Amino acid sequence: MMSPRPDSRDRLIVALDLSSVEAAEALIDRLGDSVTFYKIGYQLAYAGGLALASQLADRGKKVFIDLKLHDIGNTVAKGVENIARLGATFLTVHAYPQTMQAAVEARGPSLKILAVTVLTSYDEADLRAAGYRLGVTAMVAERARQAQAIGIDGLVCSGEEAATVRSLVGPGMALVTPGIRPAGSDVGDQKRVMTPARAIAAGADYLVVGRPIVAAADPKAAAEMIVAEIEGAGI
Ligand code: C5P
């Protein structure tokens, strides 16, 4: 990975998939010191979440802005510059060469850019319908190679893809993996899920966890269990 491996606790990223800043703040309060890293996506970002991102950064938390940017290079660059000013640690962009190049050039010293290769909701038929000739596996591999050549810091990938992607890109890129379900928890709408320990063993550096923590009766206990499982994986 890109720098020395972080503490187990810093490898858990909690997805703040909530409809208001108030609801997010209440969860963050309950989680306290158990969680150091939060992800803000479309839902919360468009309800005041970007201001919250900046406050979290001021309070010493790390923030992953999951807005999956994709536009002409100049527009991407200007957006990335302002997200860097929020104090965010990670930002996602779609893995198109122009978009990735613009994001890497504009990111500054502390923001890291993650590329999304192929959305996990896409299968072969969806790619064909969108006009692509490559299948999912070939497309993920091609885009991972392009991301690495451009100097992207990391990739978002499912637990199933993690081992293959890791073998393609080597140790230098951070792999960030959603679709995590501790043994016995609800799968929800995720189709390809992995336990924290298996995702870590497959090569993930960071785990993104939403509902297993956000919807838990005791979110802090759920987070602590996942941190313990990451620690126990010993990798
Ligand atoms: O609730 P759950 O643990 O499934 O949340 C996973 C989070 O990761 C959500 O914020 C979702 O948008 C995000 N994500 C995902 N699959 C991807 C990329 C991001 O589930 N391929």
Side-chain angles (χ1 to χ4, degrees), residues 15 17 39 68 120 156 178 181 190 208-212:
D17 294 330
K39 180 171 92 74
K68 299 186 179 68
T120 46
V156 179
R181 290 294 179 271
Q190 294 281 13
V208 175
V209 183
R211 287 161 289 182

Side-chain angles (χ1 to χ4, degrees), residues 168-192:
L168 279 172
V169 302
M173 293 178 91
L175 299 189
V176 179
T177 300
I180 300 298
R181 290 294 179 271
S185 66
D186 249 5
V187 168
D189 60 359
Q190 294 281 13
K191 296 200 175 103
R192 289 171 290 166

Side-chain angles (χ1 to χ4, degrees), residues 122-204:
Y122 274 54
D123 62 15
E124 314 288 327
D126 294 309
L127 283 183
R128 250 196 324 277
Y132 295 105
R133 79 196 142 73
L134 295 180
V136 173
T137 309
M139 183 85 116
V140 168
E142 176 67 12
R143 289 182 164 176
R145 274 192 286 267
Q146 288 176 334
Q148 186 170 42
I150 286 168
I152 286 284
D153 303 290
L155 298 167
V156 179
C157 63
S158 71
E160 281 180 6
E161 291 163 354
T164 313
V165 171
R166 177 60 79 205
S167 69
L168 279 172
V169 302
M173 293 178 91
L175 299 189
V176 179
T177 300
I180 300 298
R181 290 294 179 271
S185 66
D186 249 5
V187 168
D189 60 359
Q190 294 281 13
K191 296 200 175 103
R192 289 171 290 166
V193 298
M194 257 192 196
T195 63
R198 279 193 58 216
I200 295 286

